[in-house]
């Protein structure tokens, strides 16, 4: 449904900000709000989950009691890469599934606040030149492409592995002056300053899913560090960082907040932010080592 909406976005009068009205005087909905409604509508009546959490909703989202409460929880970012929605650049949907902690009835916030290592499945859909679904249930990472002629996903890569050292680094370098000296040194190394050993090409789309997907296939490291304006970074732990960290780990890569593996962080809030460093294993280790050496222990 979301792929169809994204593909027809310019045609179906859904671009633009919430609050605008169209020629019929109806309020236009932003595509990320419509995607959120699509996700909630699709999963509230499956009987397989007991509670949901979404980037677009402040509180846990209940499921429809009439269809029963399942044993899983679902966290999602319905449409990631919001600055790219209106300009026809790749965007995506991210999801994370856990087993519930409470035994029965409606799921609660505590069912949603679980560390990434306890995920039973996670993945994303990227609406790029084709629509691709990437998921793991803890037995490798599998890549499916949506065949729009039959409305089905078809397996195109089974059990993929990401290169141990990547070609690309992906970071919003306009925040350079706000970073710690450690991250500045990392990026200078990626530009080939000092030693050529760490030189990489820069690629930054500004859609986490798309940047992550490219680096997963080609090798590379994505960084969204903490900075002086965003002391916890920008990205969200539960429905952005943790699911991608599970995919990265299953593909032989790594993810951390710079010091702690993302999958080990104990969440305290549904919309908690985390610095994120994710991708090829050796590149993540290089960034961690450089940041620890230059910045020292956290104060
Ligand atoms: P969003 O959830 O509002 O779309 O924000 C998340 C997005 C990520 O997809 C992307 O990695 C990041 O924000 C880009 O942020 P910035 O423009 O600060 O580089
Ligand atoms: Mg997002």
């Amino acid at each position: 449904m979301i792929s169809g909406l994204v593909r027809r976005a310019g045609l179906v009068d859904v671009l633009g900000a919430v609050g605008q009205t169209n020629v019929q005087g109806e309020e236009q909905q932003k595509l990320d709000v419509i995607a959120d409604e699509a996700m909630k509508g699709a999963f509230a009546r499956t009987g397989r989950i007991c509670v949901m959490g979404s980037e677009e909703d402040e509180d846990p989202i209940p499921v429809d009691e009439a269809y029963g409460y399942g044993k899983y929880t679902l966290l999602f970012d319905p449409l990631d890469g919001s600055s790219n929605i209106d300009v026809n650049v790749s965007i995506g949907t991210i999801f994370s599934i856990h087993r519930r902690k409470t035994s029965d009835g409606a799921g609660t916030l505590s069912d949603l606040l679980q560390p990434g290592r306890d995920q039973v499945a996670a993945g994303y859909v990227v609406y790029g030149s084709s629509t691709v679904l990437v998921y793991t249930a803890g037995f490798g990472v599998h890549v499916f492409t949506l065949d729009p002629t039959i409305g089905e996903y078809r397996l195109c890569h089974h059990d993929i592995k990401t290169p141990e050292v990547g070609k690309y680094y992906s970071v919003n370098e306009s925040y350079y002056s706000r970073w710690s000296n450690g991250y500045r040194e990392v990026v200078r190394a990626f530009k080939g300053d000092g030693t050529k050993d760490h030189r990489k090409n820069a690629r930054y789309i500004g859609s986490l899913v798309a940047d992550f997907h490219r680096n997963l296939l080609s090798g590379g490291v994505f960084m969204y560090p903490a900075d002086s304006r965003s002391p916890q970074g920008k990205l969200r732990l539960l429905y952005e960082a943790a699911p991608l960290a599970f995919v990265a780990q299953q593909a032989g890569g790594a993810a951390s907040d710079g010091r702690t593996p993302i999958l080990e962080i104990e969440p305290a809030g549904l919309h908690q932010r985390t610095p994120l460093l994710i991708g090829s294993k050796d590149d993540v280790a290089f960034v961690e080592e450089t940041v620890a050496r230059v910045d020292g222990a956290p104060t």
Side-chain angles (χ1 to χ4, degrees):
M1 287 169 70
I2 299 172
S3 182
L5 280 166
V6 168
R7 301 284 173 224
R8 285 176 294 130
L11 304 173
V12 293
D13 216 12
V14 291
L15 294 183
V18 170
Q20 287 182 345
T21 49
N22 64 16
V23 283
Q24 284 85 31
E26 297 159 337
E27 191 171 287
Q28 288 181 326
Q29 293 277 291
K30 267 181 90 170
L31 204 53
D32 43 7
V33 174
I34 300 176
D36 188 50
E37 294 301 326
M39 290 291 286
K40 291 189 282 193
F43 291 101
R45 298 184 189 94
T46 59
R48 297 187 186 276
I49 56 176
C50 61
V51 66
M52 295 181 272
S54 164
E55 174 166 359
E56 299 294 329
D57 299 77
E58 195 173 338
D59 297 318
I61 304 154
V63 299
D64 192 333
E65 186 182 358
Y67 292 78
Y69 297 113
K71 59 184 175 186
Y72 298 104
T73 68
L74 174 65
L75 286 150
F76 55 87
D77 181 352
L79 213 48
D80 182 61
S82 38
S83 67
N84 285 323
I85 293 176
D86 289 357
V87 292
N88 204 21
V89 172
S90 297
I91 48 183
T93 299
I94 312 174
F95 62 91
S96 165
I97 299 168
H98 286 263
R99 213 165 264 115
R100 66 181 302 169
K101 277 165 46 186
T102 51
S103 51
D104 51 23
T108 65
L109 179 61
S110 76
D111 290 307
L112 295 171
L113 298 184
Q114 300 191 51
R117 64 171 179 270
D118 293 338
Q119 289 171 102
V120 292
Y124 58 87
V125 179
V126 55
Y127 313 105
S129 43
S130 53
T131 295
V132 168
L133 166 69
V134 178
Y135 95 99
T136 184
F139 302 94
V141 176
H142 314 298
V143 180
F144 297 78
T145 302
L146 181 65
D147 182 342
T149 62
I150 58 170
E152 297 267 353
Y153 281 101
R154 297 167 69 148
L155 180 65
C156 53
H157 302 292
H158 175 255
D159 198 14
I160 58 165
K161 295 293 170 209
T162 195
E164 290 187 358
V165 180
K167 289 196 236 180
Y168 299 120
Y169 76 98
S170 310
V171 67
N172 188 335
E173 231 173 301
S174 67
Y175 303 141
Y176 186 92
S177 63
R178 302 183 201 157
W179 294 339
S180 70
N181 288 333
Y183 279 96
R184 294 182 196 181
E185 177 147 336
V186 164
V187 167
R188 283 199 298 269
F190 288 158
K191 290 172 187 290
D193 268 15
T195 157
K196 299 278 176 262
D197 292 354
H198 297 292
R199 213 202 78 78
K200 297 186 188 301
N201 275 356
R203 291 282 188 281
Y204 191 74
I205 296 168
S207 286
L208 173 63
V209 168
D211 278 310
F212 175 81
H213 186 67
R214 181 201 53 246
N215 291 355
L216 181 74
L217 299 183
S218 301
V221 59
F222 173 95
M223 302 186 288
Y224 206 115
D227 63 41
S228 57
R229 280 214 198 152
S230 313
Q232 293 306 314
K234 174 184 184 186
L235 300 171
R236 313 294 183 139
L237 175 63
L238 287 174
Y239 41 80
E240 293 180 325
L244 298 187
F246 191 23
V247 172
Q249 180 223 46
Q250 286 291 313
S256 93
D257 69 359
R259 299 177 192 277
T260 307
I262 292 290
L263 296 177
E264 297 304 321
I265 299 174
E266 298 284 340
L270 187 53
H271 301 287
Q272 178 172 336
R273 296 177 195 272
T274 179
L276 178 63
L277 171 54
I278 189 166
S280 293
K281 190 163 60 83
D282 291 359
D283 293 332
V284 171
F286 168 71
V287 179
E288 282 184 322
E289 283 158 24
T290 307
V291 169
R293 175 172 53 76
V294 176
D295 293 344
T299 48

